[in-house]
Amino acid sequence: MKAVHNEMETYRKSAVERAAAGLPPLPLTAAQTAELVNGLLAGMPSDSEQEGVELLTDQVPPGVDPAAAIKARFLASVATGEIQLASLSRRRATFRLGTMLGGFNVEPLIALLDDNEVGDVAVEALRKTILIFANFELLTRKAEAGSIRAGEVLKSWAAAEWFTSRPAVPQVVELGACQRFCVQGS
């Protein structure tokens, strides 16, 4: 990734040092994320672009910190088609946007509901997102205006599918050779 220099070089060195100590790399900071996005926008060789997309999607944690805001804006730009990358399709960008769990990704996902190419991916992402904050009103207005996909998301939330679609809690959890935890009543 020759187009990305200072911040990302520091990140790579840190990741190597941490790996040698048996530790995972730290998440990307906002400055590192911004430098990475600028490198992706400047055009990288395809193998470097793929590595950059993987770093962006895997090393910027979900949430509402400044790095997540940069990640969400970038993924939303790819998801809408404003930015085109060989290594990240609109559908994949929408999916990745949906893995951010809430916060900066919600408004772009709601906007993408009307997009025929990626709207179904946005529906699936929003069905599993509960940290929507003030965007509930935005989704409600969209549903009231006749958006079928927005209505699907609201119905899914009302049915608590974000919870009921998760794997069941096991009745027995083995903690070790002699320890055992059982759910009451089993």
Side-chain angles (χ1 to χ4, degrees):
M1 292 171 58
K2 296 175 184 169
V4 179
H5 297 293
N6 302 327
E7 292 290 333
M8 290 308 301
E9 191 55 39
T10 301
Y11 177 81
R12 278 194 202 82
K13 286 179 184 175
S14 170
V16 168
E17 290 170 3
R18 290 179 63 82
L23 299 170
L26 292 170
L28 291 171
T29 65
Q32 292 165 339
T33 304
E35 188 172 292
L36 178 58
V37 165
N38 288 336
L40 288 167
L41 293 173
M44 300 176 163
S46 61
D47 59 334
S48 295
E49 181 180 286
Q50 180 62 38
E51 179 189 355
V53 167
E54 288 173 14
L55 276 173
L56 181 71
T57 57
D58 297 337
Q59 293 306 123
V60 177
V64 291
D65 69 7
I70 295 165
K71 174 182 176 177
R73 279 194 305 271
F74 178 75
L75 289 173
S77 294
V78 175
T80 62
E82 179 184 333
I83 295 172
Q84 296 176 358
L85 294 179
S87 60
L88 187 62
S89 69
R90 291 184 62 211
R91 290 182 69 79
R92 190 73 180 153
T94 304
F95 172 80
R96 288 299 197 166
L97 199 56
T99 65
M100 294 183 68
L101 306 177
F104 298 113
N105 67 329
V106 176
E107 191 171 338
L109 284 170
I110 291 171
L112 289 166
L113 290 172
D114 295 329
D115 187 301
N116 286 331
E117 185 177 334
V118 299
D120 59 327
V121 180
V123 167
E124 290 307 310
L126 285 167
R127 283 181 175 177
K128 297 177 180 114
T129 303
I130 58 172
L131 302 173
I132 59 161
F133 309 105
N135 290 305
F136 180 78
E137 294 298 323
L138 179 63
L139 184 67
T140 302
R141 283 194 305 274
K142 188 177 275 289
E144 288 171 349
S147 171
I148 294 170
R149 289 183 179 133
E152 287 178 34
V153 173
L154 288 175
K155 287 177 187 172
S156 175
W157 287 345
E161 290 177 357
W162 59 270
F163 179 75
T164 60
S165 65
R166 309 226 5 125
V169 176
Q171 292 295 313
V172 176
V173 177
E174 296 291 333
L175 301 174
C178 298
Q179 299 173 337
R180 187 174 151 125
F181 172 79
C182 297
V183 176
Q184 235 176 355
S186 58

